[in-house]
Amino acid sequence: MKHLLDMTAEEFAAEMARLEQPKFRARQIGDWVWHRGVFDFAKMTNLPAAQRAGMAEQFSILSGKVMARADAADQVTKLLLAWPDGQQVETVLIPTAHHATACLSTQAGCAVGCSFCASGSQGLGRNLTGGEIVEQVLQLQAATGRKVTHAVFMGMGEPLANFEATLFAVRAIIDPGRLGISARHVTVSTVGLPKAIRNLAAQKLPITLAISLHAHNDALRRQLIPNAPADIESIVEAAEAFYESRHRELTLEYVLLAGVNDTNLCAEGLSRIARRLRCNVNIIRFNPAPGLPYQRPSGQATLRFAQRLEKAGVNVQIRKSRGAEADAACGQLRAKMGEQELQS
Ligand code: SAH
Ligand code: SF4
């Protein structure tokens, strides 16, 4: 059985040619899958009946099973998906009136082990395939009836540590024949792997790169990210190369941890880096989860930190905390399931 979602459009067209299907067949099936949300060949009514059964024997479409669903009062929906080998990931839909952002996972767990992240504390299960990353968008659309307009690679895992699958997923997401989401609405977030950032820059895709910095010097950063794959200077140099490749705006992400990385000195150091990169800073208030040894900063302290950056000439945003009831911080739904706290 071959996974349709793991194939490029050309590969699927080649499969159809191998099965001696007419030229339009690949596009016809693709239309059902990508645009109409139909994942069962038996329901593809413009396919000859014999072909419906034949295709179902050759190809699978969705492979994840929804194990749990959490809906928050603000419409945020989080799904826990299990793959056939038992590995599980989370995927989240964050809607507004006109947009719907899918927050996608790229790995089951994560090897980087940031000390404030629920995914990190679970270790790495395995890389997801490109199809498993893209499937999350289809599952979210099917579960909520909303059309995904934006995609952020900010779920479980480190996207650039699973480079090929992430690139495959980005291409499927922005391909007009598949999901057709504008590349300008796609953000890949990374803890900072310089070689992979340069590689991504070489693809010249007009996507946004978000770099999870969290600290202005290496000593503090190593405390927060013990297995940080690179020092800040190499990450910043690679980020400059990314910026120059497309002149796309970069974002620095900064999880604010009360009493740890929220001092004036931290704000000054961070603003120096942000000015050098001419990039925006996204402040994320720490989202507490069981077992994580940090405190969420108060709203006032967060505002003060943001204002210091602004005064230093940096464009700054405080990320809205949404989906608190849906356990929207990275890795939390799966952590809960592990503790069998989720009742559903
Ligand atoms: N591995 C990538 C992408 C996934 S994490 C990365 O680290 O960038 C996406 C974002 O969620 C990162 O900026 C990460 O620092 C943040 N995050 C992780 N745990 C968090 C928590 N408990 N509270 C707030 N933000 C968190
Ligand atoms: Fe991995 Fe990102 Fe979580 Fe760090 S914050 S452990 S890199 S998923």
Side-chain angles (χ1 to χ4, degrees), residues 55-71:
M55 291 295 164
E57 277 167 22
Q58 302 259 349
F59 304 103
S60 67
I61 303 178
L62 297 187
S63 49
K65 191 163 168 251
V66 179
M67 301 298 286
R69 171 182 178 144
D71 293 283

mmCIF file of all heavy atoms in Angstrom, residues 55-71:
data_model
loop_
_atom_site.group_PDB
_atom_site.id
_atom_site.type_symbol
_atom_site.label_atom_id
_atom_site.label_comp_id
_atom_site.label_asym_id
_atom_site.label_seq_id
_atom_site.Cartn_x
_atom_site.Cartn_y
_atom_site.Cartn_z
ATOM 1 N N MET A 55 -8.257 1.539 -6.720
ATOM 2 C CA MET A 55 -7.403 2.576 -6.099
ATOM 3 C C MET A 55 -7.252 2.295 -4.600
ATOM 4 O O MET A 55 -6.171 2.439 -4.035
ATOM 5 C CB MET A 55 -8.011 3.968 -6.284
ATOM 6 C CG MET A 55 -7.999 4.461 -7.703
ATOM 7 S SD MET A 55 -6.323 4.715 -8.301
ATOM 8 C CE MET A 55 -6.637 4.814 -10.055
ATOM 9 N N ALA A 56 -8.361 1.894 -3.979
ATOM 10 C CA ALA A 56 -8.336 1.651 -2.533
ATOM 11 C C ALA A 56 -7.388 0.501 -2.184
ATOM 12 O O ALA A 56 -6.836 0.456 -1.088
ATOM 13 C CB ALA A 56 -9.746 1.375 -2.025
ATOM 14 N N GLU A 57 -7.204 -0.417 -3.119
ATOM 15 C CA GLU A 57 -6.265 -1.526 -2.866
ATOM 16 C C GLU A 57 -4.811 -1.070 -2.985
ATOM 17 O O GLU A 57 -3.920 -1.648 -2.382
ATOM 18 C CB GLU A 57 -6.502 -2.651 -3.882
ATOM 19 C CG GLU A 57 -7.638 -3.564 -3.474
ATOM 20 C CD GLU A 57 -8.068 -4.471 -4.618
ATOM 21 O OE1 GLU A 57 -7.256 -4.705 -5.551
ATOM 22 O OE2 GLU A 57 -9.223 -4.927 -4.569
ATOM 23 N N GLN A 58 -4.590 -0.054 -3.796
ATOM 24 C CA GLN A 58 -3.213 0.382 -4.076
ATOM 25 C C GLN A 58 -2.719 1.505 -3.159
ATOM 26 O O GLN A 58 -1.545 1.582 -2.855
ATOM 27 C CB GLN A 58 -3.129 0.913 -5.520
ATOM 28 C CG GLN A 58 -3.530 -0.083 -6.560
ATOM 29 C CD GLN A 58 -2.319 -0.702 -7.226
ATOM 30 O OE1 GLN A 58 -1.207 -0.227 -7.041
ATOM 31 N NE2 GLN A 58 -2.539 -1.751 -7.978
ATOM 32 N N PHE A 59 -3.659 2.407 -2.800
ATOM 33 C CA PHE A 59 -3.228 3.631 -2.103
ATOM 34 C C PHE A 59 -4.007 3.857 -0.811
ATOM 35 O O PHE A 59 -5.209 3.639 -0.765
ATOM 36 C CB PHE A 59 -3.439 4.862 -2.994
ATOM 37 C CG PHE A 59 -2.745 4.768 -4.317
ATOM 38 C CD1 PHE A 59 -3.468 4.470 -5.471
ATOM 39 C CD2 PHE A 59 -1.367 4.938 -4.420
ATOM 40 C CE1 PHE A 59 -2.832 4.358 -6.696
ATOM 41 C CE2 PHE A 59 -0.728 4.830 -5.642
ATOM 42 C CZ PHE A 59 -1.458 4.534 -6.786
ATOM 43 N N SER A 60 -3.276 4.337 0.198
ATOM 44 C CA SER A 60 -3.969 4.822 1.389
ATOM 45 C C SER A 60 -3.910 6.347 1.341
ATOM 46 O O SER A 60 -3.004 6.922 0.716
ATOM 47 C CB SER A 60 -3.299 4.297 2.646
ATOM 48 O OG SER A 60 -2.027 4.868 2.776
ATOM 49 N N ILE A 61 -4.870 6.996 1.980
ATOM 50 C CA ILE A 61 -4.860 8.473 1.976
ATOM 51 C C ILE A 61 -4.520 8.958 3.385
ATOM 52 O O ILE A 61 -3.373 9.304 3.644
ATOM 53 C CB ILE A 61 -6.196 9.042 1.436
ATOM 54 C CG1 ILE A 61 -6.434 8.478 0.011
ATOM 55 C CG2 ILE A 61 -6.133 10.572 1.394
ATOM 56 C CD1 ILE A 61 -7.725 8.901 -0.642
ATOM 57 N N LEU A 62 -5.461 8.924 4.318
ATOM 58 C CA LEU A 62 -5.114 9.326 5.687
ATOM 59 C C LEU A 62 -4.540 8.125 6.427
ATOM 60 O O LEU A 62 -5.032 7.009 6.270
ATOM 61 C CB LEU A 62 -6.351 9.833 6.432
ATOM 62 C CG LEU A 62 -7.034 11.078 5.878
ATOM 63 C CD1 LEU A 62 -8.137 11.540 6.828
ATOM 64 C CD2 LEU A 62 -6.048 12.216 5.629
ATOM 65 N N SER A 63 -3.521 8.343 7.242
ATOM 66 C CA SER A 63 -3.045 7.212 8.051
ATOM 67 C C SER A 63 -3.127 7.468 9.544
ATOM 68 O O SER A 63 -2.990 6.562 10.342
ATOM 69 C CB SER A 63 -1.624 6.803 7.641
ATOM 70 O OG SER A 63 -0.793 7.922 7.585
ATOM 71 N N GLY A 64 -3.390 8.723 9.947
ATOM 72 C CA GLY A 64 -3.490 9.031 11.380
ATOM 73 C C GLY A 64 -4.892 8.785 11.918
ATOM 74 O O GLY A 64 -5.876 8.886 11.187
ATOM 75 N N LYS A 65 -4.957 8.434 13.196
ATOM 76 C CA LYS A 65 -6.252 8.227 13.852
ATOM 77 C C LYS A 65 -6.385 9.281 14.951
ATOM 78 O O LYS A 65 -5.439 9.500 15.711
ATOM 79 C CB LYS A 65 -6.235 6.822 14.463
ATOM 80 C CG LYS A 65 -7.560 6.363 14.948
ATOM 81 C CD LYS A 65 -7.585 4.845 15.156
ATOM 82 C CE LYS A 65 -8.842 4.507 15.918
ATOM 83 N NZ LYS A 65 -8.648 4.097 17.286
ATOM 84 N N VAL A 66 -7.545 9.944 15.010
ATOM 85 C CA VAL A 66 -7.745 10.966 16.048
ATOM 86 C C VAL A 66 -8.024 10.257 17.376
ATOM 87 O O VAL A 66 -9.039 9.606 17.540
ATOM 88 C CB VAL A 66 -8.924 11.910 15.688
ATOM 89 C CG1 VAL A 66 -9.131 12.946 16.788
ATOM 90 C CG2 VAL A 66 -8.666 12.596 14.349
ATOM 91 N N MET A 67 -7.070 10.374 18.306
ATOM 92 C CA MET A 67 -7.188 9.685 19.601
ATOM 93 C C MET A 67 -7.909 10.541 20.631
ATOM 94 O O MET A 67 -8.500 10.034 21.574
ATOM 95 C CB MET A 67 -5.794 9.374 20.170
ATOM 96 C CG MET A 67 -4.942 8.514 19.292
ATOM 97 S SD MET A 67 -5.679 6.904 19.039
ATOM 98 C CE MET A 67 -5.381 6.175 20.641
ATOM 99 N N ALA A 68 -7.752 11.870 20.499
ATOM 100 C CA ALA A 68 -8.405 12.773 21.450
ATOM 101 C C ALA A 68 -8.569 14.120 20.772
ATOM 102 O O ALA A 68 -7.827 14.461 19.854
ATOM 103 C CB ALA A 68 -7.548 12.926 22.709
ATOM 104 N N ARG A 69 -9.559 14.848 21.243
ATOM 105 C CA ARG A 69 -9.813 16.175 20.711
ATOM 106 C C ARG A 69 -10.098 17.081 21.892
ATOM 107 O O ARG A 69 -10.814 16.685 22.818
ATOM 108 C CB ARG A 69 -11.020 16.103 19.775
ATOM 109 C CG ARG A 69 -11.497 17.456 19.327
ATOM 110 C CD ARG A 69 -12.722 17.333 18.449
ATOM 111 N NE ARG A 69 -13.148 18.670 18.091
ATOM 112 C CZ ARG A 69 -13.670 19.016 16.924
ATOM 113 N NH1 ARG A 69 -13.873 18.096 15.998
ATOM 114 N NH2 ARG A 69 -14.014 20.257 16.677
ATOM 115 N N ALA A 70 -9.493 18.272 21.888
ATOM 116 C CA ALA A 70 -9.763 19.225 22.962
ATOM 117 C C ALA A 70 -10.179 20.535 22.312
ATOM 118 O O ALA A 70 -9.493 21.023 21.407
ATOM 119 C CB ALA A 70 -8.513 19.419 23.820
ATOM 120 N N ASP A 71 -11.313 21.077 22.739
ATOM 121 C CA ASP A 71 -11.795 22.347 22.192
ATOM 122 C C ASP A 71 -11.804 23.389 23.301
ATOM 123 O O ASP A 71 -12.366 23.142 24.365
ATOM 124 C CB ASP A 71 -13.210 22.186 21.633
ATOM 125 C CG ASP A 71 -13.233 21.296 20.412
ATOM 126 O OD1 ASP A 71 -12.858 21.779 19.339
ATOM 127 O OD2 ASP A 71 -13.592 20.110 20.545
#
